[in-house]
Amino acid sequence: MSNTQLLFGRSGPIATLTLNRPHAGNAIDLSLARELLTAAIACDEDEGIRCVVLTGAGRYFCTGGDVGGFATAGDATPSLLKELTAYVHMAVARLARMGKPLVTAVNGPAAGAGIGLAALGDLALAARSAHFTLAYTAIGLSPDGGASWLLPRLIGLRRAQELIFTNSKVDADAAADMGLVTRAVDDAALVQETVELARKLAAGATAALGFSRRLLLCSFDNALETHMEAEARAIADASRTAQGREGIAAFIEKRKPDFWRMDGMPDEDPNEDTAV
């Protein structure tokens, strides 16, 4: 895949999407939004991809929408925003609902829609130089990119209200403490920790991870009995897969399961020579 605003890298079973407008803080314009959607669909559709990493080029992770473009659009700004959010929201939805895990490597400051993208990861690692500011209401706008849906679920309604209404800046360690990201890591360790995490997930039972993603995504919307029925169907379906059979057999035989081979993947080891 040839992109300019978004780099699509592939190393074995791991795909890495890199927001690539470092001169603009990786702010999202129409071109980047379109490329993000195209990449999200490609990751969703490619069965050889077992884990997706999302990160940013340069100093910033993502500073949100391209506000300069909003100003240039003038009276056409509402139309621009509707088109921009159409692409971004479709990309977020596909990344959220694909049957493989998403790791976000927040390499620097995130704001606006960048916070939605950072929080979207099943596992989100933040460099300690990163900080988070919603920033929408500071320029007279309201959240997008899934931020107002994700934040109450991850950090609670009260904290979400505070961050959205006051535009408080949150550093990486505080973001981890409140659950906005999984953990904060030293800047120099971010790439290596991301690689190790992506390798571990790529070598795992991706079918079970996909079922788990779907269950967690709908857990706030279902009544208990409805959700338990979804759990019952999911675990039964997981047991039908080659990975499920391998996991049960490995447990009984007291050995490590080989989910990679059970998926009919090529002989290369997903834990070797994989870069982000």
Side-chain angles (χ1 to χ4, degrees):
M1 182 180 298
S2 177
N3 294 310
T4 55
Q5 306 297 310
L6 184 136
L7 304 178
F8 188 108
R10 177 76 181 271
S11 185
I14 300 170
T16 300
L17 311 183
T18 305
L19 307 174
N20 190 40
R21 299 188 72 219
H23 62 285
N26 296 320
I28 303 172
D29 63 1
L30 280 176
S31 178
L32 176 53
R34 292 188 189 104
E35 291 186 13
L36 183 61
L37 174 58
T38 298
I41 292 171
C43 290
D44 192 9
E45 288 296 310
D46 189 337
E47 294 183 359
I49 294 174
R50 298 167 65 89
C51 182
V52 179
V53 174
L54 176 64
T55 191
R59 177 186 170 195
Y60 294 90
F61 174 70
C62 176
T63 55
D66 188 343
V67 180
F70 303 167
T72 301
D75 291 343
T77 298
S79 295
L80 170 62
L81 284 168
K82 286 182 177 179
E83 184 176 2
L84 183 67
T85 53
Y87 291 114
V88 172
H89 291 178
M90 284 190 287
V92 167
R94 279 149 186 79
L95 290 171
R97 296 187 183 279
M98 64 185 178
K100 57 205 73 176
L102 173 68
V103 176
T104 50
V106 186
N107 56 294
I115 291 181
L117 292 177
L120 187 62
D122 299 293
L123 295 164
L125 305 183
R128 287 201 163 85
S129 64
H131 54 76
F132 303 83
T133 313
L134 266 296
Y136 289 102
T137 60
I139 59 171
L141 299 177
S142 56
D144 66 350
S148 62
W149 190 91
L150 286 163
L151 291 185
R153 287 162 169 77
L154 291 172
I155 66 175
L157 178 60
R158 282 299 184 207
R159 285 190 180 274
Q161 288 169 321
E162 180 183 17
L163 296 188
I164 291 170
F165 295 165
T166 70
N167 300 296
S168 302
K169 183 187 291 186
V170 177
D171 65 29
D173 286 306
D177 288 343
M178 70 173 61
L180 179 58
V181 297
T182 307
R183 66 177 182 268
V185 302
D186 292 339
D187 285 38
L190 179 65
V191 170
Q192 184 59 34
E193 291 207 26
T194 301
V195 167
E196 291 174 359
L197 186 55
R199 287 173 174 172
K200 181 177 181 179
L201 293 171
T206 49
L209 293 174
F211 286 127
S212 299
R213 290 191 99 218
R214 287 192 285 274
L215 288 168
L216 289 168
L217 198 61
C218 67
S219 62
F220 283 83
D221 302 319
N222 288 338
L224 174 60
E225 291 78 10
T226 300
H227 199 73
M228 288 192 298
E229 175 62 17
E231 287 182 329
R233 291 183 176 278
I235 195 171
D237 288 342
S239 74
R240 292 189 183 97
T241 67
Q243 293 177 352
R245 294 192 295 272
E246 166 66 5
I248 293 169
F251 180 85
I252 297 300
E253 296 165 12
K254 294 181 170 48
R255 60 175 175 81
K256 183 179 178 180
D258 190 351
F259 296 125
W260 178 255
R261 298 293 191 277
M262 289 303 103
D263 248 10
M265 301 303 291
D267 289 338
E268 67 263 21
D269 186 339
N271 288 308
E272 294 179 357
D273 300 323
T274 300
V276 171

